[in-house]
Amino acid sequence: METNVNGIRVRYDDVGEGPVVLLLHAFPLSAAMWRPQLEALRGRYRVLAPDGRGFGGSDAPPGLYSMDQLADDAAALLDQLQIPEVILGGLSMGGYVAFAFLRRHRARVRALILADTRAGADSDEGRAKRESNARLAEEQGATPIAEQMLPALLALDAPADLHDELRALIVATNPTGIAGALRGMAARPDSSADLGEITIPTLVIVGAEDTLTPPAEAQRLQAGIAGSSLVTLPGAAHLPNLERPVEFNAALLGFLEKVGGDWG
Ligand code: MLT
């Protein structure tokens, strides 16, 4: 489906009925990465998964995409669909956006899922790398970004067809969107101080072999958020929802049952 929010066209998936689960995707992917979760959850939940600005079928305007802007785009989509509150899930960049969403739209979040993400901001070195990659995308397109990122996204024994699917998804991404999100991630604030203020039920999930946002980051999130739980999935790297969908979905459904069971 498509709609206009904050001056851009946004494409989104909207399936199922029940408590609303809003899923925010990783960089440089799209809502397509949530396909196994849409299928697993749609029988009991309404799952909303937008393509963030710059990605998938959404517009890619020029400029820096701050995490605040991406959070406000998601909130504006909820406004349009007249959805007051959600269970919010974000993976990696989606987690950075989730922290911004919590700061700006806290009353709309009933529970939180943080997958393969971190609270901290970039180092100076990390910011410089993002800027050189933004320029690389602008000059040479998405393909070199795909080549650079793919080895870190999946565990070594990931199926070849998953690798090919992700490569195709990244290569098809608008380079303006890639550059906008890279610059937005580089500019994101440190959310570590926010962790102690999160009082809603929270599930942290991480792939045991994730090198981009390693299990130590997930442990920091879990230690910082009172009452949160942590699930570490063996045999998965940065995208456990795609690499180990059965186990990821079981963790998700178990959590949702606890927090969403009595919520219509
Ligand atoms: C992602 O998967 O969203 C990115 O790896 C996040 C990042 O580059 O920090």
Side-chain angles (χ1 to χ4, degrees):
M1 295 182 201
E2 281 186 6
T3 188
N4 285 302
V5 297
N6 297 334
I8 61 159
R9 183 175 41 101
V10 166
R11 196 211 66 82
Y12 62 98
D13 293 310
D14 184 358
V15 302
E17 276 176 35
V20 180
V21 182
L22 170 63
L23 296 176
L24 304 175
H25 64 78
F27 169 90
L29 306 176
S30 75
M33 67 166 265
W34 294 119
R35 196 184 52 236
Q37 286 65 53
L38 263 56
E39 289 314 310
L41 268 51
R42 63 186 301 164
R44 281 145 74 184
Y45 300 90
R46 179 175 177 187
V47 193
L48 198 59
D51 289 343
R53 65 169 59 208
F55 296 95
S58 294
D59 282 345
L64 177 155
Y65 304 166
S66 69
M67 301 299 102
D68 286 355
Q69 178 68 68
L70 296 176
D72 288 355
D73 290 345
L77 178 62
L78 296 184
D79 287 343
Q80 281 211 4
L81 298 174
Q82 299 184 322
I83 296 170
E85 52 174 6
V86 296
I87 298 162
L88 177 63
L91 192 146
S92 200
M93 180 179 78
Y96 309 158
V97 179
F99 285 124
F101 194 100
L102 275 178
R103 280 191 290 273
R104 297 165 78 80
H105 310 284
R106 178 172 297 264
R108 303 184 85 149
V109 188
R110 162 132 188 163
L112 183 65
I113 301 139
L114 295 170
D116 299 81
T117 193
R118 58 157 54 85
D122 283 357
S123 62
D124 288 345
E125 191 191 344
R127 281 190 202 102
K129 179 80 180 145
R130 297 231 197 249
E131 182 53 33
S132 71
N133 277 339
R135 289 186 192 169
L136 181 66
E138 285 167 339
E139 285 158 18
Q140 295 179 36
T143 303
I145 303 298
E147 303 308 345
Q148 204 182 101
M149 286 208 69
L150 275 167
L153 290 180
L154 300 174
L156 279 178
D157 62 350
D161 57 349
L162 180 53
H163 188 276
D164 294 348
E165 197 184 320
L166 284 175
R167 189 177 190 285
L169 188 61
I170 301 174
V171 165
T173 302
N174 190 322
T176 303
I178 289 179
L182 282 168
R183 293 186 174 119
M185 287 192 286
R188 78 187 190 281
D190 188 338
S191 300
S192 304
D194 299 352
L195 299 182
E197 286 167 28
I198 299 176
T199 53
I200 49 177
T202 300
L203 171 67
V204 182
I205 310 184
V206 69
E209 295 172 35
D210 191 347
T211 54
L212 291 174
T213 46
E217 294 288 352
Q219 285 155 16
R220 247 172 245 140
L221 293 175
Q222 196 258 325
I225 303 173
S228 62
S229 48
L230 170 62
V231 173
T232 304
L233 293 178
H238 193 55
L239 299 172
N241 68 304
L242 288 168
E243 302 176 83
R244 290 286 179 266
V246 173
E247 295 84 349
F248 188 98
N249 291 343
L252 204 52
L253 282 163
F255 175 71
L256 292 173
E257 199 167 319
K258 270 196 284 173
V259 301
D262 59 347
W263 183 43

Short mmCIF file of all heavy atoms in Angstrom, two decimals, residues 95-141:
data_model
loop_
_atom_site.label_atom_id
_atom_site.label_comp_id
_atom_site.label_asym_id
_atom_site.label_seq_id
_atom_site.Cartn_x
_atom_site.Cartn_y
_atom_site.Cartn_z
N GLY A 95 16.24 0.02 15.01
CA GLY A 95 16.36 0.23 16.45
C GLY A 95 16.74 1.68 16.76
O GLY A 95 16.23 2.27 17.71
N TYR A 96 17.65 2.24 15.94
CA TYR A 96 18.01 3.66 16.16
C TYR A 96 16.76 4.53 16.01
O TYR A 96 16.56 5.50 16.75
CB TYR A 96 19.05 4.16 15.15
CG TYR A 96 20.30 3.33 14.97
CD1 TYR A 96 21.06 3.43 13.79
CD2 TYR A 96 20.74 2.45 15.96
CE1 TYR A 96 22.21 2.69 13.61
CE2 TYR A 96 21.89 1.69 15.76
CZ TYR A 96 22.62 1.82 14.58
OH TYR A 96 23.75 1.08 14.38
N VAL A 97 15.94 4.19 15.01
CA VAL A 97 14.70 4.95 14.78
C VAL A 97 13.74 4.71 15.95
O VAL A 97 13.05 5.63 16.39
CB VAL A 97 14.04 4.56 13.44
CG1 VAL A 97 12.76 5.33 13.22
CG2 VAL A 97 15.00 4.78 12.27
N ALA A 98 13.74 3.49 16.47
CA ALA A 98 12.85 3.20 17.61
C ALA A 98 13.22 4.07 18.82
O ALA A 98 12.34 4.57 19.53
CB ALA A 98 12.92 1.72 17.97
N PHE A 99 14.53 4.27 19.05
CA PHE A 99 14.92 5.15 20.17
C PHE A 99 14.41 6.58 19.94
O PHE A 99 13.94 7.23 20.87
CB PHE A 99 16.45 5.17 20.34
CG PHE A 99 17.00 3.92 20.96
CD1 PHE A 99 17.98 3.18 20.32
CD2 PHE A 99 16.54 3.48 22.20
CE1 PHE A 99 18.49 2.02 20.89
CE2 PHE A 99 17.04 2.31 22.79
CZ PHE A 99 18.03 1.58 22.13
N ALA A 100 14.51 7.05 18.69
CA ALA A 100 14.00 8.40 18.37
C ALA A 100 12.48 8.44 18.54
O ALA A 100 11.92 9.41 19.07
CB ALA A 100 14.40 8.78 16.95
N PHE A 101 11.81 7.37 18.12
CA PHE A 101 10.35 7.30 18.24
C PHE A 101 9.95 7.37 19.72
O PHE A 101 9.00 8.08 20.08
CB PHE A 101 9.85 6.00 17.59
CG PHE A 101 8.37 5.95 17.36
CD1 PHE A 101 7.85 6.21 16.10
CD2 PHE A 101 7.48 5.66 18.39
CE1 PHE A 101 6.47 6.16 15.86
CE2 PHE A 101 6.11 5.62 18.17
CZ PHE A 101 5.60 5.88 16.90
N LEU A 102 10.70 6.66 20.55
CA LEU A 102 10.40 6.68 21.99
C LEU A 102 10.57 8.08 22.57
O LEU A 102 9.79 8.51 23.41
CB LEU A 102 11.34 5.74 22.74
CG LEU A 102 10.96 4.27 22.81
CD1 LEU A 102 12.04 3.51 23.54
CD2 LEU A 102 9.62 4.09 23.54
N ARG A 103 11.61 8.76 22.13
CA ARG A 103 11.83 10.13 22.65
C ARG A 103 10.71 11.07 22.23
O ARG A 103 10.31 11.94 22.98
CB ARG A 103 13.17 10.70 22.14
CG ARG A 103 14.38 10.20 22.89
CD ARG A 103 15.63 10.99 22.54
NE ARG A 103 16.10 10.74 21.19
CZ ARG A 103 16.93 9.75 20.85
NH1 ARG A 103 17.37 8.91 21.78
NH2 ARG A 103 17.31 9.59 19.61
N ARG A 104 10.19 10.87 21.00
CA ARG A 104 9.26 11.85 20.43
C ARG A 104 7.80 11.44 20.53
O ARG A 104 6.91 12.30 20.48
CB ARG A 104 9.63 12.06 18.96
CG ARG A 104 11.02 12.65 18.83
CD ARG A 104 11.55 12.54 17.43
NE ARG A 104 11.00 13.53 16.53
CZ ARG A 104 11.43 14.78 16.46
NH1 ARG A 104 12.38 15.20 17.26
NH2 ARG A 104 10.90 15.61 15.59
N HIS A 105 7.54 10.14 20.64
CA HIS A 105 6.15 9.66 20.61
C HIS A 105 5.94 8.57 21.66
O HIS A 105 5.31 7.55 21.41
CB HIS A 105 5.82 9.11 19.20
CG HIS A 105 6.20 10.04 18.09
ND1 HIS A 105 5.47 11.17 17.78
CD2 HIS A 105 7.26 10.03 17.24
CE1 HIS A 105 6.06 11.81 16.76
NE2 HIS A 105 7.13 11.14 16.43
N ARG A 106 6.52 8.79 22.83
CA ARG A 106 6.57 7.74 23.86
C ARG A 106 5.19 7.16 24.19
O ARG A 106 5.04 5.95 24.37
CB ARG A 106 7.21 8.30 25.13
CG ARG A 106 7.28 7.33 26.28
CD ARG A 106 8.10 7.91 27.41
NE ARG A 106 9.48 8.15 27.02
CZ ARG A 106 10.46 7.28 27.25
NH1 ARG A 106 10.22 6.17 27.89
NH2 ARG A 106 11.68 7.55 26.88
N ALA A 107 4.19 8.05 24.24
CA ALA A 107 2.86 7.60 24.68
C ALA A 107 2.26 6.59 23.70
O ALA A 107 1.28 5.92 24.03
CB ALA A 107 1.94 8.80 24.83
N ARG A 108 2.81 6.50 22.51
CA ARG A 108 2.23 5.60 21.51
C ARG A 108 2.84 4.20 21.55
O ARG A 108 2.45 3.33 20.77
CB ARG A 108 2.43 6.19 20.11
CG ARG A 108 1.84 7.56 19.97
CD ARG A 108 1.97 8.06 18.57
NE ARG A 108 0.87 7.57 17.77
CZ ARG A 108 0.36 8.23 16.73
NH1 ARG A 108 0.85 9.40 16.38
NH2 ARG A 108 -0.65 7.73 16.04
N VAL A 109 3.85 4.01 22.41
CA VAL A 109 4.55 2.72 22.40
C VAL A 109 4.16 1.91 23.63
O VAL A 109 4.39 2.31 24.76
CB VAL A 109 6.08 2.92 22.37
CG1 VAL A 109 6.76 1.57 22.16
CG2 VAL A 109 6.49 3.89 21.26
N ARG A 110 3.59 0.75 23.36
CA ARG A 110 3.11 -0.10 24.44
C ARG A 110 4.17 -1.12 24.89
O ARG A 110 4.24 -1.52 26.04
CB ARG A 110 1.88 -0.83 23.91
CG ARG A 110 1.49 -2.02 24.67
CD ARG A 110 0.04 -2.01 24.97
NE ARG A 110 -0.26 -3.10 25.87
CZ ARG A 110 -1.34 -3.17 26.57
NH1 ARG A 110 -2.22 -2.21 26.49
NH2 ARG A 110 -1.57 -4.19 27.36
N ALA A 111 4.99 -1.54 23.94
CA ALA A 111 6.07 -2.49 24.24
C ALA A 111 7.10 -2.36 23.13
O ALA A 111 6.82 -1.79 22.08
CB ALA A 111 5.53 -3.91 24.33
N LEU A 112 8.29 -2.89 23.39
CA LEU A 112 9.43 -2.61 22.51
C LEU A 112 10.21 -3.88 22.18
O LEU A 112 10.44 -4.72 23.07
CB LEU A 112 10.33 -1.62 23.26
CG LEU A 112 11.56 -1.06 22.58
CD1 LEU A 112 11.17 -0.20 21.37
CD2 LEU A 112 12.35 -0.21 23.58
N ILE A 113 10.61 -3.99 20.92
CA ILE A 113 11.47 -5.09 20.49
C ILE A 113 12.70 -4.46 19.83
O ILE A 113 12.57 -3.72 18.86
CB ILE A 113 10.76 -6.02 19.48
CG1 ILE A 113 9.49 -6.60 20.11
CG2 ILE A 113 11.70 -7.12 19.00
CD1 ILE A 113 8.32 -6.65 19.18
N LEU A 114 13.87 -4.73 20.38
CA LEU A 114 15.12 -4.19 19.83
C LEU A 114 15.96 -5.35 19.33
O LEU A 114 16.41 -6.19 20.14
CB LEU A 114 15.88 -3.42 20.92
CG LEU A 114 15.19 -2.17 21.46
CD1 LEU A 114 15.93 -1.64 22.71
CD2 LEU A 114 15.12 -1.08 20.39
N ALA A 115 16.17 -5.43 18.03
CA ALA A 115 16.91 -6.55 17.46
C ALA A 115 18.21 -6.05 16.83
O ALA A 115 18.19 -5.08 16.07
CB ALA A 115 16.07 -7.27 16.42
N ASP A 116 19.31 -6.70 17.16
CA ASP A 116 20.60 -6.42 16.51
C ASP A 116 20.83 -4.92 16.35
O ASP A 116 21.03 -4.43 15.22
CB ASP A 116 20.69 -7.16 15.17
CG ASP A 116 20.61 -8.67 15.40
OD1 ASP A 116 19.47 -9.18 15.56
OD2 ASP A 116 21.64 -9.31 15.45
N THR A 117 20.78 -4.22 17.47
CA THR A 117 20.97 -2.78 17.42
C THR A 117 21.84 -2.34 18.59
O THR A 117 22.31 -3.18 19.38
CB THR A 117 19.61 -2.05 17.38
OG1 THR A 117 19.79 -0.70 17.03
CG2 THR A 117 18.85 -2.17 18.68
N ARG A 118 22.06 -1.07 18.71
CA ARG A 118 22.86 -0.54 19.82
C ARG A 118 22.31 0.82 20.22
O ARG A 118 21.67 1.51 19.42
CB ARG A 118 24.32 -0.40 19.41
CG ARG A 118 24.57 0.49 18.20
CD ARG A 118 26.00 1.04 18.17
NE ARG A 118 27.04 0.03 18.27
CZ ARG A 118 27.53 -0.67 17.26
NH1 ARG A 118 27.08 -0.44 16.03
NH2 ARG A 118 28.48 -1.56 17.44
N ALA A 119 22.59 1.20 21.48
CA ALA A 119 22.13 2.50 21.95
C ALA A 119 23.13 3.60 21.62
O ALA A 119 22.75 4.76 21.46
CB ALA A 119 21.89 2.45 23.46
N GLY A 120 24.40 3.26 21.52
CA GLY A 120 25.45 4.27 21.37
C GLY A 120 25.43 4.98 20.03
O GLY A 120 24.84 4.49 19.06
N ALA A 121 26.11 6.13 19.99
CA ALA A 121 26.28 6.87 18.74
C ALA A 121 27.52 6.35 18.02
O ALA A 121 28.24 5.49 18.53
CB ALA A 121 26.42 8.36 19.05
N ASP A 122 27.79 6.88 16.83
CA ASP A 122 28.99 6.49 16.08
C ASP A 122 30.23 7.13 16.69
O ASP A 122 30.18 8.23 17.25
CB ASP A 122 28.90 7.00 14.63
CG ASP A 122 27.97 6.16 13.78
OD1 ASP A 122 27.43 5.15 14.28
OD2 ASP A 122 27.78 6.51 12.60
N SER A 123 31.38 6.46 16.52
CA SER A 123 32.68 7.08 16.82
C SER A 123 33.01 8.04 15.68
O SER A 123 32.38 8.01 14.62
CB SER A 123 33.75 5.99 16.89
OG SER A 123 33.84 5.36 15.62
N ASP A 124 34.03 8.88 15.89
CA ASP A 124 34.46 9.79 14.81
C ASP A 124 34.86 8.99 13.58
O ASP A 124 34.54 9.36 12.45
CB ASP A 124 35.64 10.65 15.28
CG ASP A 124 35.19 11.70 16.29
OD1 ASP A 124 33.96 11.94 16.38
OD2 ASP A 124 36.05 12.26 16.98
N GLU A 125 35.53 7.88 13.82
CA GLU A 125 35.96 7.02 12.71
C GLU A 125 34.75 6.45 11.97
O GLU A 125 34.70 6.41 10.74
CB GLU A 125 36.81 5.89 13.31
CG GLU A 125 37.55 5.05 12.31
CD GLU A 125 38.13 3.79 12.98
OE1 GLU A 125 38.19 3.76 14.23
OE2 GLU A 125 38.47 2.88 12.25
N GLY A 126 33.75 6.04 12.75
CA GLY A 126 32.52 5.50 12.15
C GLY A 126 31.81 6.55 11.30
O GLY A 126 31.31 6.25 10.21
N ARG A 127 31.79 7.79 11.81
CA ARG A 127 31.13 8.87 11.05
C ARG A 127 31.86 9.15 9.74
O ARG A 127 31.22 9.35 8.70
CB ARG A 127 31.10 10.16 11.88
CG ARG A 127 30.02 10.15 12.90
CD ARG A 127 29.83 11.52 13.55
NE ARG A 127 29.18 11.28 14.82
CZ ARG A 127 29.79 11.30 16.00
NH1 ARG A 127 31.06 11.61 16.09
NH2 ARG A 127 29.13 11.01 17.10
N ALA A 128 33.17 9.13 9.80
CA ALA A 128 33.95 9.38 8.58
C ALA A 128 33.70 8.27 7.56
O ALA A 128 33.57 8.53 6.35
CB ALA A 128 35.43 9.47 8.93
N LYS A 129 33.60 7.05 8.04
CA LYS A 129 33.34 5.91 7.14
C LYS A 129 31.95 6.05 6.50
O LYS A 129 31.76 5.76 5.31
CB LYS A 129 33.44 4.62 7.97
CG LYS A 129 33.17 3.35 7.22
CD LYS A 129 34.38 2.93 6.42
CE LYS A 129 34.11 1.64 5.66
NZ LYS A 129 34.76 1.59 4.37
N ARG A 130 30.98 6.49 7.28
CA ARG A 130 29.63 6.68 6.72
C ARG A 130 29.67 7.73 5.61
O ARG A 130 29.04 7.58 4.58
CB ARG A 130 28.67 7.15 7.80
CG ARG A 130 28.47 6.16 8.94
CD ARG A 130 27.02 5.92 9.18
NE ARG A 130 26.78 5.31 10.47
CZ ARG A 130 26.35 4.06 10.65
NH1 ARG A 130 26.14 3.27 9.62
NH2 ARG A 130 26.13 3.60 11.86
N GLU A 131 30.40 8.83 5.85
CA GLU A 131 30.46 9.89 4.85
C GLU A 131 31.14 9.38 3.58
O GLU A 131 30.66 9.65 2.47
CB GLU A 131 31.17 11.12 5.41
CG GLU A 131 31.25 12.32 4.47
CD GLU A 131 29.89 12.75 3.89
OE1 GLU A 131 28.85 12.64 4.57
OE2 GLU A 131 29.87 13.20 2.71
N SER A 132 32.21 8.60 3.73
CA SER A 132 32.86 8.11 2.50
C SER A 132 31.95 7.12 1.79
O SER A 132 31.91 7.09 0.55
CB SER A 132 34.27 7.57 2.78
OG SER A 132 34.20 6.37 3.47
N ASN A 133 31.18 6.35 2.53
CA ASN A 133 30.23 5.43 1.87
C ASN A 133 29.07 6.18 1.22
O ASN A 133 28.56 5.76 0.17
CB ASN A 133 29.69 4.40 2.88
CG ASN A 133 30.66 3.25 3.05
OD1 ASN A 133 31.50 3.01 2.20
ND2 ASN A 133 30.54 2.54 4.16
N ALA A 134 28.65 7.28 1.85
CA ALA A 134 27.58 8.09 1.24
C ALA A 134 28.06 8.62 -0.12
O ALA A 134 27.34 8.56 -1.12
CB ALA A 134 27.20 9.24 2.17
N ARG A 135 29.30 9.08 -0.14
CA ARG A 135 29.85 9.58 -1.42
C ARG A 135 30.03 8.46 -2.42
O ARG A 135 29.76 8.64 -3.62
CB ARG A 135 31.18 10.29 -1.17
CG ARG A 135 30.94 11.59 -0.44
CD ARG A 135 32.17 12.42 -0.27
NE ARG A 135 31.85 13.49 0.67
CZ ARG A 135 32.72 14.29 1.21
NH1 ARG A 135 34.00 14.17 0.94
NH2 ARG A 135 32.35 15.23 2.05
N LEU A 136 30.46 7.31 -1.93
CA LEU A 136 30.61 6.15 -2.82
C LEU A 136 29.27 5.81 -3.47
O LEU A 136 29.20 5.57 -4.69
CB LEU A 136 31.12 4.96 -1.98
CG LEU A 136 31.39 3.64 -2.69
CD1 LEU A 136 32.55 3.79 -3.68
CD2 LEU A 136 31.72 2.54 -1.66
N ALA A 137 28.21 5.79 -2.67
CA ALA A 137 26.87 5.49 -3.22
C ALA A 137 26.47 6.56 -4.24
O ALA A 137 25.95 6.22 -5.32
CB ALA A 137 25.84 5.41 -2.10
N GLU A 138 26.71 7.81 -3.91
CA GLU A 138 26.33 8.89 -4.83
C GLU A 138 27.11 8.82 -6.14
O GLU A 138 26.59 9.12 -7.21
CB GLU A 138 26.56 10.25 -4.15
CG GLU A 138 25.49 10.54 -3.10
CD GLU A 138 25.84 11.71 -2.19
OE1 GLU A 138 27.03 12.07 -2.07
OE2 GLU A 138 24.93 12.26 -1.58
N GLU A 139 28.38 8.38 -6.04
CA GLU A 139 29.21 8.36 -7.26
C GLU A 139 29.07 7.06 -8.04
O GLU A 139 29.10 7.06 -9.26
CB GLU A 139 30.68 8.58 -6.87
CG GLU A 139 30.97 10.04 -6.52
CD GLU A 139 32.21 10.22 -5.65
OE1 GLU A 139 33.04 9.28 -5.59
OE2 GLU A 139 32.32 11.29 -5.02
N GLN A 140 28.94 5.94 -7.32
CA GLN A 140 28.98 4.65 -8.03
C GLN A 140 27.71 3.81 -7.87
O GLN A 140 27.66 2.68 -8.35
CB GLN A 140 30.19 3.85 -7.55
CG GLN A 140 31.52 4.50 -7.92
CD GLN A 140 32.71 3.69 -7.40
OE1 GLN A 140 32.67 2.48 -7.38
NE2 GLN A 140 33.75 4.38 -6.98
N GLY A 141 26.74 4.32 -7.13
CA GLY A 141 25.49 3.57 -6.99
C GLY A 141 25.52 2.60 -5.82
O GLY A 141 26.46 2.59 -5.02
#
